[in-house]
Amino acid sequence: MFARQSLFQKNNLFIFLSAALMLLSFSCSQKKPVSVVWLDELGAEPAIEGWGESQANKSVDGNPLTIAGQSFERGLGTHAEGRYRIKLDGKAKSFHALVGVDDEIKKTQQGAERASVEFIVSATDKKNNKKIIWKSGVMKAGEPAREVNVELKGFVYLDLIVSDAGDGMPYDHADWCEAKIEYLGMKPEAVKPYVSKPYILTPPAPPEPRINGPKVFGVRPGSPFLFTIPATGERPMTFEAEGLPAGLKLDGSTGQITGVVDKPGTYLVKLIARNRLGTAERTLRLEVGDKICLTPPMGWNSWNCWGCSVTAENVRQSARAMVEKGLINYGWTYINIDDCWHGKRDPKTGEIRSNEKFPDMKALADYVHSLGLKIGLYTDCGPKTCAGYEGSEGHEEQDIMTYAKWGYDYVKIDWCYCEGKDPRVAYKKFGDAIKKAPRDIVFSICNWGRENPWEWGESVGGNLWRTTGDITDTWVSMSRIGFGQAGLSKYAGPGHWNDPDMLVVGKVGWGPDLRPTRLTPDEQYTHISLWCLLAAPLLIGCPIEQMDDFTLGLLTNVEVLEVDQDPLGRQADRVAEGENYQVWAKEMEDGSRAVGLFNLDPYDHMKIRVNFSDLGLGSGSYRVRDLWRQKDLGTFSKYFEAEVAPHGVVLIRIFP
Ligand code: GLA
């Protein structure tokens, strides 16, 4: 009886306990059911992409998401190089998606052949360890979607990455379809890339006179000479020059040196600038010989702002503003008209004429020269320019002579409608004509790096050559071009420069409607710092009359510009790199090193170090100066380390 009762009681207890347990687990699962958030719900806006704009539930071109004929309702259409960061709390369960190249690129044969991407899923744990948890392998157009299914427990960040699979970005339209996260705790959140407010680092120019700009200048004997002494400081200012070669004269109130030198040689000219607060002096080395463009050209070009809508009035306005905003006082010189100025040829003589937007090319050149600036224009080695205007094919020498007659100082020659030609032969025709021209014309080869122009550009008379396709105002475009210059330093030097394309700061638009550059303030500091380290031609791509103070600060820092204009003419090399950072350095004429510490991470600040041994500097201590802030940071031995903002830079100079 006792035993039976006890058994009965035991049974009851068992039933009771099981019921309680079931209730408990039910109530627990009631509190924490698995939730789902779809990637498209987190939004397309925080996505970083290499081209176009990522879209929720659509391809990057705005079509239904489609991979190998299969359509998907949900997901994110993006483009390599792509990044998307999601914040988790360690309690997310899993990530799932179907990924592949979007069918939309199969519209063209090129697209079908060239698209290739790799999808990478990386995650960061609480201790900040990052690891790749899934990779698709290289995926090409037409391949069926591959499935990602990964556990997320313990991770606090999830990074969805689309790489170009190592063969460049064109046509890399990439889809994350049916992408979703299952989670228990906090709802996953998209992380926006870091963007600071614009901040100006360049200190204002002192009121006392200071002579800036290049320290060396080349001219050919017999060519018209124009050099405006670039000097900041309170006006009125007067100028003197001692040791000018015969044939040159200085206008003491404008600082413009003009004339013609017949005798080749090296002349050391002492430039002097005075105002009521003091006097500045500086030596200019004048090289009268067959080389020009001894420092990278600095100026303005109409393309990145006005595109094909450019008019003579736009050109005049930028020229005037170059003077009024004081950029001329820092060595900014060229005012270059890009595509869309050509008219029809004279039917009898074949001479090129301008179109109605440019009523008088010579008057425009005279106006720009009267400001103490120089002027350039654009043509194409094919029958037509890229925008479909009259090209120079068959008229190479005739056109150069016409430009010289009008008074142009710079010509950029494009490569549209030239496929199939040998660029060495095509460009040499212009180079030979330029040699014969009665004035100095800077020769800019623009064949987008086809057939390695750095190897033959100088031999055909080129002063600079584009190394890549066109830049646009995104981090991916600017950074790929800039950091992609690694290995080209040996081809740069006085008179011949690698050209990573024009600047995308200020207002851009490639047409009548302008907008502020999409580069963040830190990305713009990176852009200018990197271009200066690269001894790149600096061509401002925004209307100067509309330039704001932030952009003006970027372009008027004497210590930064000095890195670009250093007479030694070295281009920086990459001296160290890690997963998300790079260090670039170049030697300056005085033996110091200009060094850029670049943070390539879009989200996080980072400490970046440069070891002096990587710069060829021995043991000992070195003075380190912050170039943007124009401030000494102290003396350091062995290494220097600084915290760098996401996509930002610390630019320093290390003095032995
Ligand atoms: C090409 C060049 C650009 C610009 C345009 C003009 O794309 O690379 O820099 O000159 O043509 O049409």
Side-chain angles (χ1 to χ4, degrees), residues 470-482:
D470 289 7
I471 196 168
T472 190
D473 58 325
T474 62
W475 165 258
V476 174
S477 169
M478 183 275 289
S479 65
R480 281 176 70 100
I481 291 178

Side-chain angles (χ1 to χ4, degrees), residues 609-628:
R609 174 185 288 205
V610 55
N611 292 315
F612 295 166
S613 57
D614 288 341
L615 306 173
L617 298 174
S619 58
S621 53
Y622 297 88
R623 175 166 68 95
V624 175
R625 189 164 170 83
D626 180 321
L627 296 186
W628 280 106

